[in-house]
């Protein structure tokens, strides 16, 4: 096996908006160095002052250095058929893969992380940063935070690891089925291995144990692993990878229960990396008010903070579908319900019934709406033998969920509610349950009250 032991210096912490300023590569055959490459690189952007202070690489030093595109063919030739080896390998690999891709080269090599390898061989060290490892193992390190100095120290560490029977670990790491190549630096592989292949909700935690991401899965092991198989070059992805230290999970009987629990937990914990689900969804409500002429008016509007809707909807068309049903069933005016705006003044007013008569029909429509709001349970697989999962919709709203005995007779809702755990209702959860019930009617139990 031939290894390319790499270290880079950059203008920032993620590849999508930053560039390499220096690179060093030592090609190693497992016994000795057989080739090397080292150069400064003009990043074609300003090097931040704090990075200049840390690395000693200034804007003046790189002004006449080659740009990455000039050295890309040589770099690709050196790296392409080697085992890409680095301390915290995913950082260096993400930069080189991204910048080579921009130049038309597709880097796709096996990776070997000397942090994870050192943890296997020397499992009791207090820290696994390159500087602390070198101090603990008495490896000389010169020209710190420069590509050549750090790469040379990584070579010496690699050779020490080989002398301490690292080869079996290397062979295991490089297997196609191994997760060591792409897992976050601080996440033990054993945590992934122990995950069940069942539905549930998983929690990624940072160094302090705080939840930074919540997700749901039909297959926990497969879904969690998928987060780390393609380490993108963007800032959020790179920060995410660096900050994952621990995983915990809750098993769920079904994927639907996992989806509901995920939504609830995101709203409860507001994890920093669940950005897409933190956006306020466009929710709609059915409102009733009396106009200046005394007519009760029904209207579908976006939910308003200080007004209480009669009923809510996740999608606008659902609201209008219900409103048209009320109009046709109770002989309400499309104009007064804001669904026919062609005639809202003048002669149209003369065609309405007296406000008192018309408003009684509106009251009857609202009463019928409330009485016909569905109450039903959705049943599914349980977590343990002899139980089944249950999600309850009561009068059109999500009540809660839990697990009930498989032989339990679904007759009295009061008894069922004593077993289930109440949850906050929202349009997103309600919409998921309604859609599932519509496509899986065999798993529904309707209650008539």
């Amino acid at each position: 096996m031939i290894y390319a032991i790499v270290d880079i210096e950059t203008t920032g912490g993620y590849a999508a908006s930053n560039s390499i300023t220096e690179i060093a590569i030592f090609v190693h055959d497992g016994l000795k160095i057989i080739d090397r490459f080292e150069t400064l690189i003009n990043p074609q952007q300003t090097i931040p002052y704090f990075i200049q202070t840390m690395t000693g690489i200034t804007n003046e030093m790189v002004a006449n250095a080659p740009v990455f595109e000039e050295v890309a063919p040589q770099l690709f030739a050196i790296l392409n058929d080697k085992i890409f080896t680095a301390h915290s390998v995913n950082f260096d690999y993400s930069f080189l893969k991204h910048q080579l891709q921009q130049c038309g080269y597709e880097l796709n090599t096996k990776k070997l992380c000397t942090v994870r390898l050192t943890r296997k061989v020397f499992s009791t060290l207090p820290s696994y940063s390159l500087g602390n490892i070198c101090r603990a193992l008495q490896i000389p390190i010169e020209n710190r935070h420069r590509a050549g100095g750090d790469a040379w120290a990584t070579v010496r560490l690699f050779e020490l690891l080989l002398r301490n029977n690292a080869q079996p670990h290397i062979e295991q790491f490089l297997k196609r089925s191994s997760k060591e190549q792409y897992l976050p630096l601080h996440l033990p592989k054993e945590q992934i291995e122990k995950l069940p292949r069942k539905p549930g909700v998983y929690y990624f935690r940072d160094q302090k144990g705080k939840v930074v991401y919540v997700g749901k899965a039909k297959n926990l092991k497969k879904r969690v692993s998928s987060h780390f198989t393609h380490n993108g070059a963007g800032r959020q992805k790179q920060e995410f990878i660096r900050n994952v230290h621990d995983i915990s999970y809750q098993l769920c009987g079904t994927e639907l229960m996992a989806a509901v629990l995920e939504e609830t937990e995101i709203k409860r914990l507001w994890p920093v990396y669940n950005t897409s689900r933190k956006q306020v969804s466009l929710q709609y409500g059915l409102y009733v008010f009396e106009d200046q002429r005394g007519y009760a008016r029904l209207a579908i509007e976006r939910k308003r903070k200080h007004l209480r809707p009669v009923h809510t909807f996740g999608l606008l068309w659902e609201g209008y579908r219900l409103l048209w049903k009320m109009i046709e069933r109770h002989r309400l005016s499309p104009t007064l319900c804001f669904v026919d705006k062609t005639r809202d003044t003048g002669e149209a007013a003369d065609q309405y019934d007296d406000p008192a008569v018309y408003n009684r029909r509106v009251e009857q429509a609202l009463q019928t709406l409330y009485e016909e709001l569905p109450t039903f349970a959705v049943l599914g697989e349980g977590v343990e033998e002899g139980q089944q999962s249950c999600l309850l919709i009561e009068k059109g709203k999500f009540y809660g969920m839990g697990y009930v005995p498989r032989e339990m007779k679904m007759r009295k809702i009061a008894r069922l509610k004593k077993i289930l755990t109440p949850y906050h209702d929202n349009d997103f959860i309600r919409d998921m349950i309604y859609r599932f019930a519509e496509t899986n009617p065999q798993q529904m139990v309707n209650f008539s009250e």
Side-chain angles (χ1 to χ4, degrees):
M1 290 187 286
I2 306 298
Y3 305 87
I5 300 174
V6 181
D7 190 81
I8 62 173
E9 301 302 329
T10 69
T11 60
Y14 59 99
S17 298
N18 293 283
S19 298
I20 296 171
T21 58
E22 188 176 39
I23 183 168
I25 304 173
F26 290 87
V27 181
H28 202 287
D29 66 0
L31 297 173
K32 62 185 182 300
I33 294 170
I34 58 175
D35 195 7
R36 66 179 294 174
F37 175 89
E38 183 176 355
T39 184
L40 287 166
I41 293 176
N42 185 339
Q44 298 181 291
Q45 60 181 256
T46 302
I47 303 173
Y49 178 72
F50 78 92
I51 291 180
Q52 294 186 49
T53 304
M54 180 178 67
T55 65
I57 300 173
T58 64
N59 293 310
E60 291 72 24
M61 289 172 61
V62 299
N64 296 318
V67 298
F68 188 87
E69 188 174 6
E70 294 177 59
V71 298
Q74 189 176 359
L75 285 173
F76 184 74
I78 294 173
L79 296 172
N80 187 44
D81 57 351
K82 314 296 189 306
I83 297 168
F84 192 107
T85 306
H87 208 70
S88 187
V89 68
N90 285 322
F91 175 81
D92 302 73
Y93 190 83
S94 69
F95 267 87
L96 281 161
K97 183 176 179 66
H98 177 69
Q99 291 204 227
L100 282 169
Q101 196 171 47
Q102 290 184 318
C103 297
Y105 298 94
E106 191 63 42
L107 184 64
N108 188 19
T109 67
K110 291 184 176 181
K111 296 179 289 182
L112 182 64
C113 180
T114 53
V115 174
R116 302 186 75 87
L117 188 59
T118 305
R119 282 198 176 114
K120 291 291 186 182
V121 178
F122 300 107
S123 59
T124 59
L125 297 182
S127 170
Y128 290 88
S129 68
L130 183 60
N132 287 336
I133 288 175
C134 288
R135 277 190 288 274
L137 300 178
Q138 298 182 337
I139 297 171
I141 182 168
E142 301 172 357
N143 215 10
R144 185 75 172 103
H145 295 305
R146 290 294 299 270
D150 287 356
W152 178 238
T154 305
V155 169
R156 291 179 173 180
L157 170 61
F158 181 66
E159 292 176 340
L160 179 61
L161 293 169
L162 289 175
R163 292 196 297 271
N164 283 269
N165 199 33
Q167 193 61 41
H169 297 298
I170 293 173
E171 292 173 1
Q172 182 63 36
F173 283 12
L174 296 178
K175 287 182 179 178
R176 184 180 295 272
S177 60
S178 174
K179 299 175 176 60
E180 298 284 359
Q181 295 187 45
Y182 56 79
L183 286 182
L185 182 63
H186 306 290
L187 185 65
K189 185 182 76 169
E190 292 72 23
Q191 289 201 8
I192 301 289
E193 297 296 337
K194 291 178 182 178
L195 290 171
R197 298 183 182 276
K198 295 181 178 180
V201 169
Y202 56 92
Y203 305 80
F204 290 149
R205 300 176 185 272
D206 64 13
Q207 190 173 12
K208 296 180 180 179
K210 183 178 180 181
V211 175
V212 295
Y213 185 85
V214 174
K216 57 94 176 172
K218 183 178 181 179
N219 180 321
L220 282 165
K221 190 171 187 177
K222 183 177 180 181
R223 179 68 184 101
V224 170
S225 297
S226 73
H227 278 280
F228 311 119
T229 52
H230 301 288
N231 295 339
R235 176 179 181 177
Q236 183 175 359
K237 184 68 173 182
Q238 289 300 309
E239 287 185 356
F240 174 67
I241 294 295
R242 285 196 290 270
N243 286 332
V244 175
H245 287 246
D246 187 47
I247 301 173
S248 59
Y249 66 89
Q250 288 191 55
L251 283 178
C252 295
T254 66
E255 189 178 7
L256 176 61
M257 287 192 78
V260 172
L261 181 58
E262 176 199 38
E263 170 70 11
T264 300
E265 291 290 72
I266 289 173
K267 294 294 189 293
R268 180 176 73 89
L269 297 167
W270 292 102
V272 63
Y273 293 117
N274 284 102
T275 52
S276 63
R277 293 289 289 279
K278 288 181 180 179
Q279 305 303 319
V280 178
S281 59
L282 294 178
Q283 300 171 346
Y284 299 88
L286 173 64
Y287 294 90
V288 59
F289 66 95
E290 188 174 296
D291 67 13
Q292 293 179 334
R293 294 172 294 173
Y295 286 99
R297 308 284 298 265
L298 296 178
I300 302 293
E301 295 278 355
R302 287 181 180 173
K303 288 178 68 175
R304 299 181 180 182
K305 189 173 182 179
H306 301 294
L307 292 177
R308 185 175 180 179
V310 175
H311 193 50
T312 57
F313 315 92
L315 298 172
L316 184 60
W317 67 266
E318 292 179 341
Y320 278 117
R321 183 175 67 177
L322 177 64
L323 184 54
W324 270 112
K325 183 178 178 181
M326 295 170 69
I327 291 170
E328 292 169 359
R329 187 172 182 179
H330 296 277
R331 296 184 297 110
L332 304 182
S333 164
T335 304
L336 292 179
C337 292
F338 297 97
V339 293
D340 181 359
K341 299 180 180 180
T342 59
R343 299 176 303 156
D344 54 6
T345 58
E347 296 180 0
D350 297 334
Q351 300 176 16
Y352 304 147
D353 291 327
D354 180 80
V357 175
Y358 180 81
N359 291 352
R360 281 196 292 273
R361 293 207 300 273
V362 173
E363 290 175 9
Q364 183 60 49
L366 295 174
Q367 180 62 29
T368 301
L369 170 64
Y370 177 76
E371 290 174 353
E372 293 184 351
L373 286 175
T375 296
F376 64 91
V378 174
L379 305 179
E381 292 296 316
V383 172
E384 299 176 3
E385 190 174 348
Q387 66 176 199
Q388 58 186 342
S389 60
C390 178
L391 299 96
L392 178 63
I393 295 287
E394 183 181 27
K395 286 295 182 186
K397 296 183 180 294
F398 176 55
Y399 172 82
M401 64 183 184
Y403 299 94
V404 300
R406 189 171 291 277
E407 68 277 4
M408 179 177 173
K409 303 297 183 183
M410 296 291 171
R411 293 174 181 168
K412 295 187 177 181
I413 192 172
R415 183 188 173 198
L416 183 60
K417 288 169 66 175
K418 289 180 181 179
I419 301 174
L420 302 181
T421 301
Y423 283 85
H424 289 295
D425 171 69
N426 69 47
D427 291 339
F428 186 82
I429 290 175
R430 220 166 40 243
D431 184 59
M432 281 194 295
I433 298 173
Y434 275 107
R435 288 178 185 276
F436 182 89
E438 187 175 345
T439 56
N440 299 273
Q442 73 280 5
Q443 292 182 234
M444 285 181 61
V445 175
N446 288 294
F447 294 89
S448 56
E449 296 184 322

